[in-house]
Amino acid sequence: MAVILGIESSCDETSASICINGKVINNEIASQAIHEQYGGVVPELASREHQRNIVPVIDHVLRHAGINANKLDAIAYTRGPGLLGALLIGNSFAKSMAASLNIPLIPIHHMKAHVMAHFIDDPKPSYPFICLTVSGGHTQILKVISPTEMIILGQTQDDAVGEAFDKAAKLLGLPYPGGPMIDKMAKDGDPYKFKFAESEMPALDYSFSGIKTSILYFLRKELKNDKDFITNNINDLAASIQQTLISMLMNKLINAANQENINQIAIAGGVSANSGLREAIENGAKKYGWQTFIPDFQYCTDNAGMIAMSGHILYQEKAFGDIADSPLPRMPF
Ligand code: KG4
Ligand code: ZN
């Protein structure tokens, strides 16, 4: 049994969480609104914001949990993948705190932690299960055999699906981050009004770079006839783009479930917050007899709850890191 502090700083959220005996009791997230005006995350600004936020965020979760720092048994932190300067803030803080308290460090892989978010709340999947991991940097179909053993059954060969959502939103003139905006507008739109070509990839792999070009050419053509085409059709455009991306994700996910003969299906990562994808997964449950697992919203996008939970699991296995470990922006899976 253990008290773990989790720290996440891989991109633009500074987050901390306390996990006591396997129960995540808080999850504080400081989001960085500053990137909105630049239409994307500016790495140098992200590092500065992390530096500003990390002490208050950690202080908050310790106080909220009524835990004195000297009661911590270990510190789990995101070692990668992510932005180097952003990771460095969390890594340096975790290392110095662990050294001063003389407790172990637990380095965590950010994408594996997204999968481990499924062990925060009930119902929890049992092994093996399939997890569609969809974020701003990754799109993977995983066969999860244990907390440490995950096999990549398929993945994107170019852009991540979150990137496709964000780039499409940019073409529609929506502010960053575009994914949640498309989700919101799609609720009032017709998902079958416009048709965009779905890229074909072999086996269980994906490609999302082509859809951006196909949307761009489509908009250019329509804008020639009607300069207000986007404004006049914004909800239908959002709904149709979302529908295309979800259809691509679902087709391969269904194939993966059949291929592996596994009916426990989970989704993880920022795009799993998308209401259309959540609905498609629930429909899959009815249609294919899946048992589905969808994390609570706060554990879909970047958060330290998933880092603290991963830390709890790895603490049992004594999977400790070293003070000399450096951040790994391209941490291998
Ligand atoms: O996991 P995450 O928070 O950060 C990374 O590790 O990348 O994922 C961020 C991605 C962004 O591309 C964002 O637009 C997308 O998740 N996202 C969404 C929604 N919420 C976040 N995409 C579609 N619909 C949403 N509701
Ligand atoms: Zn993430």
Side-chain angles (χ1 to χ4, degrees):
M1 290 303 172
V3 182
I4 313 284
L5 166 66
I7 301 174
E8 156 66 29
S9 74
S10 66
C11 190
D12 60 343
E13 319 274 12
T14 320
S15 182
S17 166
I18 301 286
C19 179
I20 302 179
N21 298 339
K23 193 168 164 39
V24 171
I25 59 166
N26 55 30
N27 177 45
E28 180 73 6
I29 303 173
S31 298
Q32 305 180 356
I34 193 160
H35 305 289
E36 214 175 293
Q37 59 189 290
Y38 299 99
V41 176
V42 183
E44 172 63 18
L45 294 180
S47 312
R48 292 183 196 199
E49 289 293 297
H50 283 306
Q51 194 156 27
R52 206 192 321 268
N53 292 334
I54 196 149
V55 172
V57 164
I58 291 174
D59 190 49
H60 179 94
V61 291
L62 286 168
R63 272 170 205 262
H64 173 271
I67 295 278
N68 192 300
N70 62 22
K71 289 280 179 295
L72 292 173
D73 290 301
I75 300 178
Y77 70 97
T78 305
R79 189 174 178 198
L83 301 169
L84 177 62
L87 290 166
L88 260 172
I89 308 294
N91 287 19
S92 316
F93 197 93
K95 283 181 199 171
S96 36
M97 194 167 174
S100 70
L101 296 168
N102 196 24
I103 55 174
L105 280 163
I106 309 176
I108 304 291
H109 189 291
H110 179 85
M111 293 313 295
K112 288 186 176 171
H114 271 302
V115 178
M116 287 298 112
H118 287 287
F119 293 87
I120 296 177
D121 292 322
D122 286 327
K124 300 177 174 73
S126 50
Y127 299 105
F129 63 96
I130 301 263
C131 189
L132 174 68
T133 311
V134 278
S135 75
H138 290 78
T139 305
Q140 295 175 324
I141 301 178
L142 303 173
K143 179 174 176 179
V144 186
I145 294 166
S146 76
T148 46
E149 198 182 353
M150 302 184 193
I151 297 171
I152 301 172
L153 299 175
Q155 61 186 332
T156 183
Q157 296 300 320
D158 41 56
D159 290 355
V161 67
E163 219 174 328
F165 266 103
D166 295 338
K167 285 179 177 171
K170 209 168 187 172
L171 292 174
L172 298 182
L174 299 173
Y176 179 86
M181 289 298 288
I182 292 212
D183 190 357
K184 202 166 148 213
M185 313 211 105
K187 290 197 169 85
D188 298 317
D190 174 0
Y192 300 102
K193 177 84 178 277
F194 306 111
K195 187 91 196 100
F196 302 104
E198 296 182 21
S199 324
E200 296 288 336
M201 288 296 281
L204 298 175
D205 283 341
Y206 291 112
S207 163
F208 291 103
S209 63
I211 183 150
K212 185 191 66 182
T213 323
S214 121
I215 297 167
L216 177 70
Y217 289 155
F218 172 78
L219 291 177
R220 269 194 196 152
K221 191 172 86 212
E222 297 295 333
L223 285 166
K224 268 188 198 146
N225 305 325
D226 172 9
K227 67 174 177 33
D228 296 322
F229 178 77
I230 295 179
T231 344
N232 291 339
N233 296 278
I234 189 78
N235 294 334
D236 293 338
L237 282 164
S240 302
I241 291 167
Q242 179 170 298
Q243 158 61 29
T244 310
L245 293 171
I246 292 173
S247 158
M248 288 167 72
L249 290 173
M250 290 303 293
N251 287 341
K252 296 287 169 107
L253 182 60
I254 294 162
N255 292 349
N258 290 340
Q259 175 189 301
E260 297 299 318
N261 200 18
I262 291 177
N263 76 344
Q264 290 201 88
I265 309 293
I267 49 170
V271 181
S272 60
N274 183 269
S275 47
L277 180 59
R278 294 166 89 94
E279 199 181 308
I281 295 282
E282 293 304 3
N283 289 340
K286 287 183 211 128
K287 201 163 166 191
Y288 307 106
W290 291 346
Q291 195 185 350
T292 52
F293 302 89
I294 305 179
D296 191 61
F297 273 110
Q298 63 171 320
Y299 301 125
C300 286
T301 43
D302 290 348
N303 68 90
M306 66 186 193
I307 306 297
M309 174 49 69
S310 303
H312 167 77
I313 294 167
L314 295 180
Y315 184 80
Q316 326 295 319
E317 306 193 5
K318 294 196 168 26
F320 301 143
D322 191 88
I323 192 109
D325 291 342
S326 51
L328 296 174
R330 295 180 183 276
M331 189 167 180
F333 199 74

